[in-house]
Amino acid sequence: MRTLAALVAGTILAACSPQADGVKVENAWIRLPAVEGQPGAAYFTLQGGRESEALISVSTRAADRTELHESVQGEGGVMTMAPLQRIDVPVGGAVKFAPGGKHVMLFGVVPNVHAGEKIPITLHFASGRAVTTMADLAAPGAVR
Ligand SMILES: [Cu+2]
């Protein structure tokens, strides 16, 4: 039994180690659109690893297509969204995606996803690493 436990522990460690030094993705959630056909948005916090890294894209089966965006205040205080090609994640730093700031725009949200469920999203980084995490699906207008 002792041998089996050690073997299992070793397997778990081996499975975790590739991401141990990389960026961690925390508190991922998706805000569903109020109206079908409108885009949704995904948010999360990136915790920098031991090397600088950059987020370049996000994929999820919840949406046909995604874009990295940042909400910015334009002329006359009107909020607009600007696309981002990459988002740098500094060593040891945190980058928060949240309503009113950086977000992942989800176009073509599939109809069979509902608030209260969880769905995997995969974040792709410039180094070639990818991190998959479970995102909570939240109702339109939800704030966290
Ligand atoms: Cu947007």
Side-chain angles (χ1 to χ4, degrees):
M1 286 307 280
R2 179 169 290 240
T3 314
L4 181 63
L7 196 69
V8 170
T11 307
I12 292 166
L13 277 176
C16 292
S17 57
Q19 287 184 12
D21 295 341
V23 173
K24 289 191 175 61
V25 183
E26 299 175 343
N27 303 322
W29 63 289
I30 287 170
R31 191 156 71 176
L32 295 169
V35 179
E36 203 180 314
Q38 292 289 304
Y43 309 101
F44 39 75
T45 299
L46 302 175
Q47 296 288 352
R50 291 190 195 171
E51 292 167 20
S52 61
E53 182 63 285
L55 179 67
I56 54 171
S57 67
V58 174
S59 57
T60 171
R61 63 177 168 82
D64 292 338
R65 189 169 64 82
T66 74
E67 287 180 12
L68 302 174
H69 282 183
E70 182 158 34
S71 295
V72 289
Q73 205 162 27
E75 300 265 323
V78 179
M79 294 301 284
T80 59
M81 294 190 294
L84 300 169
Q85 295 310 309
R86 56 183 281 145
I87 292 152
D88 291 313
V89 188
V91 174
V95 179
K96 189 169 186 183
F97 283 59
K102 293 183 182 67
H103 57 277
V104 181
M105 207 94 229
L106 307 179
F107 296 98
V109 175
V110 299
N112 59 338
V113 290
H114 310 99
E117 297 173 352
K118 285 175 182 285
I119 199 161
I121 63 170
T122 302
L123 287 74
H124 303 273
F125 294 94
S127 66
R129 276 195 175 115
V131 177
T132 298
T133 190
M134 294 304 287
D136 294 328
L137 292 167
V143 178
R144 293 197 176 183

mmCIF file of all heavy atoms in Angstrom, residues 72-80:
data_model
loop_
_atom_site.group_PDB
_atom_site.id
_atom_site.type_symbol
_atom_site.label_atom_id
_atom_site.label_comp_id
_atom_site.label_asym_id
_atom_site.label_seq_id
_atom_site.Cartn_x
_atom_site.Cartn_y
_atom_site.Cartn_z
ATOM 1 N N VAL A 72 -11.538 51.245 -22.722
ATOM 2 C CA VAL A 72 -10.823 52.502 -22.491
ATOM 3 C C VAL A 72 -11.817 53.651 -22.614
ATOM 4 O O VAL A 72 -12.805 53.562 -23.347
ATOM 5 C CB VAL A 72 -9.660 52.707 -23.494
ATOM 6 C CG1 VAL A 72 -8.520 51.752 -23.201
ATOM 7 C CG2 VAL A 72 -10.130 52.531 -24.936
ATOM 8 N N GLN A 73 -11.531 54.739 -21.883
ATOM 9 C CA GLN A 73 -12.384 55.903 -21.949
ATOM 10 C C GLN A 73 -11.939 56.755 -23.120
ATOM 11 O O GLN A 73 -10.796 57.205 -23.185
ATOM 12 C CB GLN A 73 -12.293 56.690 -20.641
ATOM 13 C CG GLN A 73 -13.538 57.506 -20.390
ATOM 14 C CD GLN A 73 -13.638 57.916 -18.945
ATOM 15 O OE1 GLN A 73 -12.634 58.042 -18.249
ATOM 16 N NE2 GLN A 73 -14.840 58.138 -18.467
ATOM 17 N N GLY A 74 -12.847 56.965 -24.073
ATOM 18 C CA GLY A 74 -12.512 57.732 -25.267
ATOM 19 C C GLY A 74 -12.971 59.174 -25.146
ATOM 20 O O GLY A 74 -13.222 59.671 -24.046
ATOM 21 N N GLU A 75 -13.102 59.829 -26.303
ATOM 22 C CA GLU A 75 -13.539 61.227 -26.383
ATOM 23 C C GLU A 75 -14.858 61.421 -25.642
ATOM 24 O O GLU A 75 -15.773 60.626 -25.795
ATOM 25 C CB GLU A 75 -13.746 61.593 -27.862
ATOM 26 C CG GLU A 75 -12.498 61.461 -28.706
ATOM 27 C CD GLU A 75 -11.759 62.787 -28.833
ATOM 28 O OE1 GLU A 75 -12.447 63.816 -28.918
ATOM 29 O OE2 GLU A 75 -10.521 62.770 -28.824
ATOM 30 N N GLY A 76 -14.936 62.474 -24.830
ATOM 31 C CA GLY A 76 -16.184 62.798 -24.140
ATOM 32 C C GLY A 76 -16.581 61.767 -23.099
ATOM 33 O O GLY A 76 -17.738 61.704 -22.696
ATOM 34 N N GLY A 77 -15.633 60.959 -22.659
ATOM 35 C CA GLY A 77 -15.915 60.004 -21.590
ATOM 36 C C GLY A 77 -16.640 58.759 -22.034
ATOM 37 O O GLY A 77 -17.066 57.960 -21.211
ATOM 38 N N VAL A 78 -16.801 58.595 -23.343
ATOM 39 C CA VAL A 78 -17.498 57.410 -23.843
ATOM 40 C C VAL A 78 -16.565 56.203 -23.757
ATOM 41 O O VAL A 78 -15.415 56.262 -24.188
ATOM 42 C CB VAL A 78 -17.958 57.627 -25.308
ATOM 43 C CG1 VAL A 78 -18.661 56.388 -25.839
ATOM 44 C CG2 VAL A 78 -18.870 58.842 -25.404
ATOM 45 N N MET A 79 -17.056 55.111 -23.203
ATOM 46 C CA MET A 79 -16.244 53.900 -23.092
ATOM 47 C C MET A 79 -16.215 53.176 -24.438
ATOM 48 O O MET A 79 -17.255 52.931 -25.043
ATOM 49 C CB MET A 79 -16.809 52.951 -22.033
ATOM 50 C CG MET A 79 -16.732 53.491 -20.621
ATOM 51 S SD MET A 79 -15.062 53.880 -20.051
ATOM 52 C CE MET A 79 -14.433 52.235 -19.721
ATOM 53 N N THR A 80 -15.017 52.852 -24.881
ATOM 54 C CA THR A 80 -14.881 52.060 -26.101
ATOM 55 C C THR A 80 -13.960 50.877 -25.789
ATOM 56 O O THR A 80 -13.333 50.839 -24.731
ATOM 57 C CB THR A 80 -14.270 52.889 -27.251
ATOM 58 O OG1 THR A 80 -12.993 53.365 -26.829
ATOM 59 C CG2 THR A 80 -15.153 54.060 -27.626
#
